[in-house]
């Protein structure tokens, strides 16, 4: 859910998530698939909606620190740890997108849509990081 929030992946339905059952019944989340972002397309982001609620909200524009705090409470997660994980993911996204874009270009994948997506993902990661920092500042230690 966090990754889809970061990339504005509005098509992440529950059916896109799977568990892998391993030895002795151990389970883990399967690798993500069918991942898309609406960012490079001509779409009104004010109308964009997630397939699943995050903290009670479907609308991309309405998901922020308060909704992540609510999700943490609903799932009985440590809010501080959740915000730190969101922060780490946002930083990694911003740091890695340009490298991935350059690697794609070296492989001959040089399409305007890739450039538009790359630029939009970096900008979105920065905006999400600002929102996360607000959430961290509002989260009491040990919560």
């Amino acid at each position: 859910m966090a990754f889809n929030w970061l990339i504005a992946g509005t098509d992440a339905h529950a059916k896109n998530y799977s568990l892998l059952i391993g030895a002795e019944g151990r389970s883990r989340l399967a690798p993500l698939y069918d991942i898309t972002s609406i960012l490079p397309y001509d779409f009104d982001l004010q109308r964009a909606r997630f397939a699943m609620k995050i903290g009670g909200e479907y609308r991309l524009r309405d998901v922020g620190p308060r909704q992540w705090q609510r999700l943490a409470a609903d799932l009985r997660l440590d809010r501080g740890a959740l915000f730190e994980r969101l922060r780490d993911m946002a930083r990694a996204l911003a740091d890695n997108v340009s490298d991935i874009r350059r690697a794609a270009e070296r492989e001959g994948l040089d399409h305007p849509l890739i450039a538009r997506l790359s630029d939009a993902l970096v900008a979105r990661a920065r905006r999400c990081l600002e929102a996360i920092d607000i959430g961290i500042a509002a989260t009491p230690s040990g919560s």
Side-chain angles (χ1 to χ4, degrees):
M1 291 178 77
F3 182 73
N4 281 299
W5 174 67
L6 290 170
I7 69 163
T10 57
D11 194 37
H13 299 273
K15 66 183 177 182
N16 292 4
Y17 296 92
S18 298
L19 292 176
L20 298 176
I21 309 296
E24 299 177 22
R26 292 189 187 123
S27 63
R28 65 181 175 91
L29 188 63
L32 296 177
Y33 61 94
D34 195 19
I35 300 170
T36 59
S37 171
I38 64 167
L39 293 176
Y41 303 103
D42 293 326
F43 189 88
D44 181 2
L45 291 181
Q46 295 300 311
R47 293 182 35 228
R49 294 171 55 90
F50 289 109
M52 296 189 299
K53 290 181 185 178
I54 297 175
E57 288 292 340
Y58 281 109
R59 288 187 301 263
L60 175 67
R61 70 171 191 225
D62 293 336
V63 176
R66 183 174 293 134
Q67 287 68 40
W68 287 108
Q69 288 173 355
R70 180 176 171 188
L71 181 71
D74 290 348
L75 298 177
R76 297 183 181 130
L77 299 173
D78 178 274
R79 284 185 293 171
L82 175 62
F83 278 112
E84 286 299 327
R85 181 71 174 133
L86 289 169
R87 177 192 266 173
D88 291 346
M89 291 176 70
R91 285 182 178 156
L93 179 62
D95 290 345
N96 291 313
V97 164
S98 297
D99 293 339
I100 294 167
R101 177 180 172 182
R102 283 190 293 277
E105 289 170 350
R106 283 193 303 272
E107 295 292 324
L109 297 171
D110 189 16
H111 190 277
L113 189 62
I114 294 171
R116 197 162 57 228
L117 174 60
S118 174
D119 294 343
L121 285 171
V122 169
R124 172 117 178 113
R126 289 184 181 134
R127 284 191 306 275
C128 289
L129 195 51
E130 290 171 5
I132 294 162
D133 286 340
I134 291 168
I136 288 172
T139 301
S141 297
S143 295

